[in-house]
Amino acid sequence: MSAAEIRSGRALLEAPPELQARRRKGKVFQWVCLSATLVGVVVLAALLIDVLVDGVAWLTPAFFTEFPSRIPERAGIKSALYGTIWLMVLVAVISFPLGVAAAVWLEEYAGKNWVQTVIQTNIANLAGVPSIVYGILGLAVFVRWMGPITGGRSVLSGALTISLLILPILIIAAQEAIRAVPSSIREASYGLGATKWQTVRHHVLPNAFPGILTGTILALSRAIGETAPLIMIGALTFIAFVPEGPRDAFTVLPIQIFNWASRPQDEFRYLAAAAIIVLLVLLLSMNALAIWLRNKYRRDW
Amino acid sequence: MRIDRLHGWLGAGLALAALLTLGCGGGAGEAGEGELSGSVQVDGSSTVYPITEAVAEEFQREHPRTRVTVGVSGTGGGFQRFCSGETDVSDASREIKPSEAEACEANGVEYTEVRVAWDGMAVVVNPANDWVQCLTVDELKRIWEPGSTVRRWSQVRQGFPDREIVLYGPGTDSGTFDYFTEAIVGEEDASRADYTASEDDNVLVQGVSGDPASLGYFGFAYYEENQGKLRALGVDGGAGCVQPTVETIESGEYDPLSRPLYIYVSDRGLAKAQVREFVEFYLTEGSELVRAVGYVPLDPDQYQDELEKVRGLADGAPSAPRAPADTAGEVTDTAAEGDATP
């Protein structure tokens, strides 16, 4: 074997069999990993194409301004779209202050003691609880028990349930954002005589805000697709009106999609596809907003 | 500083959202001048759902300020809510069970049972099939039960040709499937799985009409629309062979593949103008819609009877406790003067 052969790589091909086998294994592994990656991408592409092909033709202006109907040509997503917007606004209003306050307490006030550890562990576990379980909780607590306040199967009950669902995610995201604020900032603030409240108010929170906001939006974009807990609290209904208050009955896009997709006629499947496009556009634009905010306000310390 | 601006912006946004939320709290359900408004809450059977949905849609077109919600919790789930007083109207594909009636009583919920339509099922073959006119429930059960070994017509009955039997039927998501399996096999959702299943009845119609040795079943309305392409079999439930027709389905003679569908209306609901209007609309405009969504409407006289029952209740004081069954006859007379509807 000459030196030239080795350099040109020919020698590699003619390497001893055990070495070749090892290299082959390496190659196989690389391909396995690549195809694993592609599975996700291909499925997403197939989904998008399928949905677009089926649904695009049904995305007319009337689709957004009409209520659901048994006649496909007359059906639209007005009540579902309004319901989803109502739900998202309420969820944001409820979960944001709760989540941020909890994160501030856990990061800034609670010491490293067993109370904090227990709470922290619980929050991490709650983030993994299946959403249907929150639905059952919401049905028992918000719909039945607090019915006189929430109005029973109302947007408010739905929003409270979904808020519980995303709170753990939100708290963890907010905690990470707060933790990312260097302690030198806090120490400088204390050094100038600021109290803990002043430090949190003027330095920690403003600096952690972009991160908190990103986390909130991502949590909300998880909430927007939630169906199971809402079916549990009874939002799976034919509704041809827009909620006028938090105590009104409602339906949301995923439920409307579910309803349409389960009908026998093809037209309703196309309607479902069109509604899926709307939902995906909402979801992707929320995620895009989160990424944009993160990049715009990101700070390297 | 950018972050501060963002911060302020957010605060403003949140405040606005909160304001919006609070501001909108009141207004729901307030009546306009003389215009019908308020909410009608319906829940219950998924079989009745298409009818109620159609009625709700048309009703709200006529009375835009009313808000009708229609849920699909199933007959049992619907009664659970109905008897706890949560809903005004409950869709049901069977009569209320004694245990459910007890729950209603315990919560002081008085109600009226109103029949709204017939649900029938047709067992169909290809018109070219000249060997079968009628099947007994037992034969149908042997064909359709889980693990059935019937592959050829000759296995169904002696004397039938030795041809492969090709089966078509609705998929498991269908209410027709639930009902057929319960009526024929004796257990809901118990069926053989090796048949061509489709949720779209039109596919079944095409399948049976294109295959001379086929057998299928689906909602009667689809058979009615496709009489030229299919032949419906008589079904022998023990009392001789009965052909499915609007008449035999209405009379209940076409047993066991026909059943009445109901709505249950609470007295507390009927006291509300919008609920009363809704139920009346259901019984007057409903028959057209019943046909449109694929069921068999009641006889016009029967609708009139049900209507008078409801009107009588709404006119009279609905508080006195009574068994709903007795009410029908007694109230019919009082309500006769109500409206001179044709």
Side-chain angles (χ1 to χ4, degrees), chain A:
Chain A
M1 211 185 288
S2 74
E5 270 176 332
I6 292 173
R7 246 175 279 122
S8 71
R10 294 257 319 270
L12 289 179
L13 294 173
E14 288 146 23
E18 343 59 273
L19 187 55
Q20 278 188 24
R22 272 167 57 200
R23 289 210 183 100
R24 246 194 325 271
K25 270 189 199 156
K27 269 270 180 277
V28 168
F29 182 68
Q30 189 188 339
W31 280 103
V32 167
C33 290
L34 177 65
S35 36
T37 315
L38 284 179
V39 166
V41 177
V42 168
V43 167
L44 180 67
L47 176 82
L48 284 178
I49 291 167
D50 183 51
V51 158
L52 282 173
V53 166
D54 278 354
V56 154
W58 290 78
L59 276 177
T60 56
F63 185 67
F64 295 92
T65 56
E66 286 292 330
F67 289 118
S69 165
R70 67 180 190 286
I71 300 159
E73 288 73 23
R74 227 159 66 172
I77 52 166
K78 186 172 177 187
S79 46
L81 192 60
Y82 274 68
T84 291
I85 293 169
W86 260 100
L87 193 73
M88 284 305 111
V89 169
L90 282 179
V91 167
V93 168
I94 295 164
S95 61
F96 185 77
L98 282 177
V100 174
V104 167
W105 185 80
L106 284 170
E107 283 303 312
E108 299 291 324
Y109 291 92
K112 259 276 170 233
N113 54 27
W114 66 271
V115 182
Q116 199 262 359
T117 316
V118 167
I119 294 177
Q120 194 67 60
T121 316
N122 267 312
I123 289 173
N125 281 333
L126 277 176
V129 171
S131 59
I132 188 80
V133 176
Y134 286 97
I136 296 170
L137 180 72
L139 179 69
V141 176
F142 301 129
V143 174
R144 295 263 156 80
W145 188 59
M146 284 170 60
I149 306 163
T150 57
R153 291 159 198 262
S154 61
V155 189
L156 186 56
S157 296
L160 287 166
T161 309
I162 296 289
S163 296
L164 286 188
L165 176 71
I166 67 164
L167 258 180
I169 311 169
L170 215 162
I171 293 173
I172 291 168
Q175 273 183 291
E176 262 154 30
I178 290 170
R179 217 175 298 146
V181 178
S183 43
S184 55
I185 301 253
R186 296 184 185 86
E187 278 147 20
S189 174
Y190 293 140
L192 289 170
T195 62
K196 188 138 201 168
W197 154 244
Q198 285 170 322
T199 307
V200 170
R201 163 80 181 76
H202 294 289
H203 302 285
V204 177
L205 274 185
N207 284 316
F209 231 92
I212 294 176
L213 209 59
T214 309
T216 308
I217 294 172
L218 290 179
L220 281 177
S221 64
R222 172 173 174 199
I224 203 172
E226 274 302 337
T227 323
L230 294 177
I231 289 180
M232 202 64 217
I233 68 156
L236 174 62
T237 42
F238 168 77
I239 284 183
F241 56 82
V242 167
E244 282 172 7
R247 290 162 52 89
D248 276 359
F250 73 111
T251 186
V252 291
L253 279 171
I255 288 180
Q256 186 66 62
I257 292 166
F258 175 73
N259 184 332
W260 276 337
S262 59
R263 293 188 186 223
Q265 298 92 336
D266 273 345
E267 287 85 353
F268 282 109
R269 289 223 326 275
Y270 302 145
L271 280 173
I276 289 171
I277 297 174
V278 175
L279 187 62
L280 280 178
V281 166
L282 272 176
L283 191 88
L284 293 178
S285 40
M286 280 170 76
N287 287 355
L289 180 69
I291 291 167
W292 179 75
L293 281 171
R294 191 182 61 204
N295 291 343
K296 189 166 157 79
Y297 295 104
R298 170 149 59 194
R299 232 182 223 204
D300 295 318
W301 305 96

Side-chain angles (χ1 to χ4, degrees), chain B residues 170-179 189 198-199 201:
Chain B
T172 52
D173 283 349
S174 157
T176 315
F177 173 81
D178 296 342
Y179 173 34
D189 294 355
S198 172
E199 307 296 338
D201 291 345

Side-chain angles (χ1 to χ4, degrees), chain B residues 138-166:
Chain B
D138 200 51
E139 284 164 341
L140 282 171
K141 182 178 174 183
R142 270 198 289 118
I143 297 173
W144 286 100
E145 69 190 351
S148 165
T149 53
V150 176
R151 300 266 179 278
R152 315 192 73 80
W153 277 100
S154 50
Q155 287 171 279
V156 177
R157 194 188 291 171
Q158 290 219 322
F160 281 173
D162 186 24
R163 295 182 67 167
E164 196 186 353
I165 183 166
V166 186

Side-chain angles (χ1 to χ4, degrees), chain B residues 37-305:
Chain B
S37 67
S39 72
V40 181
Q41 303 211 32
V42 191
D43 202 341
S45 163
S46 59
T47 313
V48 189
Y49 175 79
I51 310 176
T52 305
E53 184 207 35
V55 172
E57 189 186 336
E58 294 306 320
F59 182 73
Q60 282 177 103
R61 260 167 215 277
E62 208 145 293
H63 305 284
R65 291 198 42 83
T66 56
R67 343 182 98 214
V68 185
T69 61
V70 189
V72 255
S73 304
T75 303
F79 276 133
Q80 210 179 350
R81 290 189 64 198
F82 182 72
C83 289
S84 65
E86 279 183 55
T87 51
D88 304 307
V89 177
S90 207
D91 291 340
S93 59
R94 55 165 169 79
E95 287 182 32
I96 191 165
K97 285 181 189 164
S99 58
E100 291 161 345
E102 273 164 34
C104 271
E105 206 176 323
N107 292 316
V109 175
E110 303 279 336
Y111 56 84
T112 315
E113 176 188 286
V114 180
R115 271 194 298 176
V116 290
W118 288 98
D119 183 15
M121 220 154 293
V123 180
V124 295
V125 293
N126 191 283
N129 176 325
D130 56 3
W131 57 87
V132 57
Q133 302 301 325
C134 185
L135 287 173
T136 66
V137 170
D138 200 51
E139 284 164 341
L140 282 171
K141 182 178 174 183
R142 270 198 289 118
I143 297 173
W144 286 100
E145 69 190 351
S148 165
T149 53
V150 176
R151 300 266 179 278
R152 315 192 73 80
W153 277 100
S154 50
Q155 287 171 279
V156 177
R157 194 188 291 171
Q158 290 219 322
F160 281 173
D162 186 24
R163 295 182 67 167
E164 196 186 353
I165 183 166
V166 186
L167 296 171
Y168 291 88
T172 52
D173 283 349
S174 157
T176 315
F177 173 81
D178 296 342
Y179 173 34
F180 185 87
T181 48
E182 199 188 332
I184 296 296
V185 181
E187 189 188 334
E188 194 170 292
D189 294 355
S191 169
R192 71 192 290 172
D194 53 342
Y195 67 96
T196 308
S198 172
E199 307 296 338
D200 188 346
D201 291 345
N202 289 313
V203 171
L204 303 179
V205 170
Q206 272 170 18
V208 176
S209 65
D211 191 335
S214 57
L215 177 82
Y217 72 91
F218 40 73
F220 177 73
Y222 275 89
Y223 160 68
E224 257 201 320
E225 281 169 30
N226 298 286
Q227 289 194 18
K229 297 187 221 160
L230 307 163
R231 189 162 62 81
L233 296 182
V235 173
D236 184 351
C241 195
V242 182
Q243 283 288 328
T245 61
V246 172
E247 290 76 34
T248 55
I249 289 175
E250 270 181 3
S251 67
E253 214 182 314
Y254 182 62
D255 187 53
L257 291 182
S258 78
R259 58 173 171 180
L261 300 176
Y262 306 91
I263 56 172
Y264 281 72
V265 190
S266 77
D267 286 357
R268 220 176 301 163
L270 272 185
K272 293 184 258 183
Q274 71 274 16
V275 177
R276 189 181 157 183
E277 275 296 319
F278 178 74
V279 175
E280 292 202 7
F281 191 89
Y282 210 122
L283 294 170
T284 48
E285 313 291 317
S287 64
E288 278 298 302
L289 299 170
V290 164
R291 201 180 289 281
V293 297
Y295 295 95
V296 178
L298 304 182
D299 191 71
D301 289 343
Q302 285 173 312
Y303 277 118
Q304 194 59 32
D305 285 351

